[in-house]
Amino acid sequence: MAYRTTVLLPRGVAWGLRAVFAGCVLLSVALWWFAGDAPISCAVATVILLGVSGPLAQSRGRIEVDDEHLRLKLVPLFTKTVPRHEIVAVEPAEVDPWRDFHGFGYRLTGAGRIGFVFRRGPAVRVSTRDGRTYVISDPAADDLLAALR
């Protein structure tokens, strides 16, 4: 493995997502308490509420670079793999998740621009043969840049 790191959401955003999850738990309990005579509806609502908010409350990013691939993992939701032979350019960048991508995590903005952004600051811009551009935020962006070159 040439490079591997975990990137976390800003503390305030992470606590906000945990608060949303706690609210969904309370809402689910209230549904069962007040509408317990409709167990199928309560079960479906509980699965949706906790199935969406739970993984988001625990989300973090993992960046992995080896000889063959660049992997961007939004743990525990999904993994995006970019073959190294598809990468045509890498360069340092700066990113502001709100200004550039309107949020945190794995962000699609259209026109082939993809953000893997968890914090404001140093990043690496990766261009691929198919015209996509990945902007990857990483506090150790110099190390990521060196691993990709």
Side-chain angles (χ1 to χ4, degrees):
M1 183 77 50
Y3 183 78
R4 182 180 197 170
T5 191
T6 299
V7 288
L8 303 174
L9 291 167
R11 186 170 291 151
V13 173
W15 279 106
L17 288 171
R18 290 180 190 123
V20 168
F21 176 69
C24 289
V25 169
L26 291 175
L27 182 57
S28 181
V29 168
L31 280 171
W32 282 96
W33 186 270
F34 293 110
D37 56 339
I40 293 176
S41 299
C42 290
V44 169
T46 299
V47 167
I48 292 170
L49 286 169
L50 302 184
V52 171
S53 65
L56 288 177
Q58 299 302 316
S59 64
R60 62 193 178 281
R62 185 163 296 141
I63 304 165
E64 297 177 356
V65 178
D66 61 26
D67 293 336
E68 298 178 16
H69 300 99
L70 162 65
R71 287 186 187 85
L72 305 174
K73 297 181 179 185
L74 185 58
V75 179
L77 300 172
F78 78 96
T79 300
K80 173 66 178 173
T81 301
V82 179
R84 292 279 301 263
H85 69 271
E86 291 293 319
I87 297 173
V88 295
V90 293
E91 59 188 6
E94 287 288 319
V95 68
D96 181 338
W98 286 114
R99 185 191 68 222
D100 300 334
F101 294 97
H102 309 294
F104 296 92
Y106 188 84
R107 310 293 292 187
L108 305 171
T109 62
R113 192 159 178 254
I114 300 161
F116 191 74
V117 290
F118 288 82
R119 297 219 177 240
R120 179 174 22 163
V124 174
R125 185 175 298 114
V126 177
S127 301
T128 61
R129 292 183 198 278
D130 62 3
R132 293 184 180 158
T133 301
Y134 296 85
V135 177
I136 306 165
S137 69
D138 186 351
D142 292 337
D143 296 337
L144 175 58
L145 192 63
L148 288 168
R149 288 189 171 163

